[in-house]
Amino acid sequence: MACRVQKRISSMRRKLHILRALANSNSAKRTTIEKSTILYIYKLKVALETVKKEYENLLAIRNEYLNLLNHVQEIKNVKVEKINTGIFVVSVTCEKRGDKLVAILEVFDEMSLNVEQAKVSCQNGFSLEAIVVAEDQKLDVRDVTEALLKAIGKESDQKDSAKKLDTNAVIN
C-alpha cells in the first residue's frame, strides 16, 4: 500500500515539475503552478485565435489577388488600315492563349474578306499581319476592327470561363 502511495506521489511530482517547466513557474506550491498553467493555456488559446485570424486574412487576400488576376484585361491590339478600295492591312497582336487564329479567320469568312497574304507568329504572344480583300466594297475600317476585337474577346472569355470551371473543380 505504501509503495502505491509513493508511486502516486512521485508521479504527481513529475507532473508538477513538467507543468512548472511549461508554465515558466518557479514556485514549489501546487496551487501556484496550477494557476500559472491555466494562465499559460489561456495565452496559448489567444495566440491560436490570433494565428487563425491571420490565416483567414491571408486567405481573403489570396482570393482577392486571384480575383484580380482573373479580371486583368488582356493586351489586345488590333490595327486595320485601308490601302485601297476594299483592300485592308490587318495587324493583330495579343496574349498567347487559345485559338486566336481560328476566331480571326471565322470573322474574315463571316465578313466575306479574302486573305491574300498573311504572317502569323506565336513566339511572344500571338500576332497576325494580313492583307485582306473585301467582296463588299462598302466595308469600313471600324467594322473590321470591332469584329476582330469582338472575336478575340469572345474567344478569350470562353477560355477564361473554361479555366474558371477547371479551377473550381480542382478547388472543390
Side-chain angles (χ1 to χ4, degrees):
M1 197 69 128
C3 185
R4 191 182 291 172
V5 172
Q6 283 182 345
K7 284 183 182 179
R8 285 183 87 191
I9 290 173
S10 75
S11 172
M12 187 70 116
R13 283 185 183 152
R14 260 187 280 128
K15 290 177 183 176
L16 282 173
H17 179 69
I18 291 170
L19 285 176
R20 190 179 321 140
L22 286 174
N24 293 326
S25 176
N26 295 327
S27 177
K29 293 183 180 180
R30 190 185 84 189
T31 56
T32 308
I33 294 172
E34 289 171 350
K35 287 178 184 176
S36 296
T37 305
I38 290 171
L39 181 63
Y40 179 70
I41 290 171
Y42 178 75
K43 287 180 181 179
L44 285 176
K45 284 183 179 180
V46 170
L48 180 63
E49 288 177 17
T50 305
V51 169
K52 283 182 180 178
K53 286 180 183 177
E54 184 65 27
Y55 178 71
E56 289 172 1
N57 287 339
L58 288 173
L59 283 178
I61 290 170
R62 176 186 159 261
N63 289 337
E64 272 185 53
Y65 179 73
L66 290 174
N67 193 24
L68 286 173
L69 281 178
N70 288 335
H71 289 92
V72 170
Q73 290 294 322
E74 181 181 342
I75 300 169
K76 300 174 194 170
N77 186 14
V78 175
K79 186 192 285 184
V80 179
E81 295 178 31
K82 192 172 193 174
I83 23 178
N84 212 346
T85 307
I87 300 176
F88 300 95
V89 175
V90 177
S91 176
V92 178
T93 55
C94 56
E95 282 184 18
K96 182 178 177 181
R97 271 204 244 149
D99 301 327
K100 305 276 190 218
L101 182 60
V102 173
I104 292 170
L105 292 177
E106 286 174 351
V107 167
F108 288 163
D109 188 44
E110 289 170 6
M111 298 183 82
S112 300
L113 293 170
N114 297 320
V115 179
E116 293 292 316
Q117 181 180 0
K119 290 185 213 173
V120 179
S121 173
C122 294
Q123 200 161 13
N124 292 324
F126 173 83
S127 66
L128 169 116
E129 292 179 11
I131 298 174
V132 293
V133 178
E135 291 176 9
D136 180 12
Q137 301 298 321
K138 297 177 185 176
L139 203 57
D140 190 17
V141 170
R142 191 179 74 209
D143 297 333
V144 177
T145 305
E146 287 176 4
L148 288 171
L149 283 170
K150 186 176 178 181
I152 293 170
K154 185 188 303 179
E155 188 271 331
S156 294
D157 291 343
Q158 289 172 351
K159 294 293 178 185
D160 288 345
S161 64
K163 186 197 278 186
K164 285 179 188 175
L165 288 175
D166 290 344
T167 305
N168 289 337
V170 169
I171 290 172
N172 293 332

